[in-house]
Amino acid sequence: MVRKPSHGDSIKEENKERKGLWSPEEDERLFTQITYHGVSTWSSVAQLAGLRRSGKSCRLRWMNYLRPDLKKEPISKREEEIIISLQRSLGNRWSTIAARMPGRTDNEIKNYWNSRIRKRLSAAAKAGAGAGAGTEPAPPAAEEKVKAEPTNATTAAAAAPADMPIPARFPVFACQVFDGDVAAAAGGGGESTPSTTSSTQQNSGEESEASVGDSDMIHFLSFDDLDYPADFLVDVPGAMDAWESELYPANSMSSLY
DNA sequence: AAGACACGCAACCGCAAACAA
DNA sequence: ATTGTTTGCGGTTGCGTGTCT
């Protein structure tokens, strides 16, 4: 259900800032500008591209629509499970959730949640009222307004030279923790089923290992390789810090391009 | 056929954090 | 320390399209 663009529906004056839907010409200009010259500041992007748009609007358009790494297909069942799971543990921190879902935007996830999942879950909760077993997502544990730490994508983008095209969003990985304190901290409790967590990593498709602490070993797998229900997703901050520092040594962006 | 309604998506708004001058 | 600017985020709104009556 994509509405047809009614271009320039709110142009007030010829030299006033433009609002409303983006025309294909505007998209083309913005895409070309960013692809070939990168982003220094978004307001300069708007200027250099000859767009009568705010920098904010340009950023939004790029992030939500023009970025080449965005998935065009509808959100899958599997992705929906991941969204539900992450929302349960993170609350409405859509950008954090999106950072863990390659090719998906915070806006897309937020829309999907508001228009489908939330409705469905509350309907299910009503239908199953009394049956307990909270189908309705528990009030997010992270309900308190904790500002999300910068994601890999944002830190990487911030570190990138201005004339460099914005890197693709990093694919999501899940990891399986074997033994040690990390598994305990993750609530996995050292059972035979590895606990899983998620983070981001660039070189998708590869299975790899990263050491956490002295004795904990983590297997990193793409979500496609993961057979456990999304309910098992948990965060293991220490583990991911170790992984990220290994992947992205300071001042080195070479692995991202 | 036409109007009412529901739905989904794109984009805007306001706020706060980060940063620079 | 202060002020101004930019960026990023979550909430909300507007509107096109599909479905129902």
Side-chain angles (χ1 to χ4, degrees):
Chain A
M1 196 185 298
V2 179
R3 62 173 156 161
K4 284 183 193 151
S6 55
H7 310 134
D9 37 8
S10 59
I11 305 173
K12 289 180 177 131
E13 290 172 33
E14 191 61 24
N15 54 358
K16 273 276 172 66
E17 208 164 72
R18 200 176 137 97
K19 289 186 179 180
L21 295 180
W22 282 65
S23 70
E25 290 77 15
E26 286 178 306
D27 282 344
E28 172 85 28
R29 279 169 179 256
L30 182 61
F31 184 84
T32 302
Q33 175 64 32
I34 292 176
T35 300
Y36 289 100
H37 301 101
V39 176
S40 53
T41 66
W42 284 105
S43 51
S44 72
V45 167
Q47 241 180 346
L48 293 169
L51 294 165
R52 293 198 310 278
R53 295 276 184 174
S54 67
K56 211 171 179 177
S57 179
C58 290
R59 176 187 163 274
L60 200 69
R61 186 61 176 172
W62 174 262
M63 292 297 189
N64 289 340
Y65 189 80
L66 293 176
R67 271 168 40 210
D69 61 310
L70 292 179
K71 283 185 185 172
K72 301 299 180 189
E73 63 266 26
I75 288 175
S76 67
K77 192 72 190 167
R78 184 171 206 134
E79 287 174 308
E80 182 181 309
E81 287 175 2
I82 294 169
I83 291 171
I84 293 172
S85 175
L86 290 175
Q87 199 280 342
R88 189 175 293 148
S89 59
L90 296 170
N92 294 354
R93 291 159 67 180
W94 306 117
S95 62
T96 307
I97 293 172
R100 299 177 181 202
M101 301 188 67
R104 301 300 183 189
T105 71
D106 54 354
N107 207 34
E108 185 178 18
I109 293 170
K110 179 174 57 181
N111 280 337
Y112 191 83
W113 177 268
N114 287 334
S115 65
R116 304 190 195 187
I117 300 176
R118 190 172 60 178
K119 215 168 288 179
R120 198 186 314 157
L121 288 177
S122 61
K126 271 183 187 172
T135 45
E136 175 82 18
E143 185 63 41
E144 75 276 12
K145 292 282 182 182
V146 179
K147 193 65 185 177
E149 69 278 11
T151 63
N152 287 337
T154 52
T155 51
D163 59 349
M164 197 175 273
I166 289 182
R169 181 163 293 208
F170 312 121
V172 169
F173 271 62
C175 67
Q176 300 176 343
V177 182
F178 298 92
D179 301 325
D181 298 333
V182 173
E191 295 162 14
S192 59
T193 301
S195 61
T196 59
T197 185
S198 65
S199 184
T200 56
Q201 192 258 354
Q202 174 66 10
N203 303 316
S204 67
E206 305 278 332
E207 182 178 346
S208 54
E209 294 181 351
S211 62
V212 177
D214 292 336
S215 57
D216 307 316
M217 295 299 293
I218 294 182
H219 273 210
F220 288 90
L221 304 165
S222 79
F223 269 118
D224 288 343
D225 298 330
L226 190 68
D227 288 330
Y228 303 102
D231 281 349
F232 291 150
L233 286 167
V234 294
D235 270 323
V236 188
M240 298 326 299
D241 288 348
W243 174 249
E244 286 160 8
S245 62
E246 178 172 306
L247 250 187
Y248 307 120
N251 302 322
S252 168
M253 291 289 293
S254 59
S255 64
L256 300 177
Y257 299 97

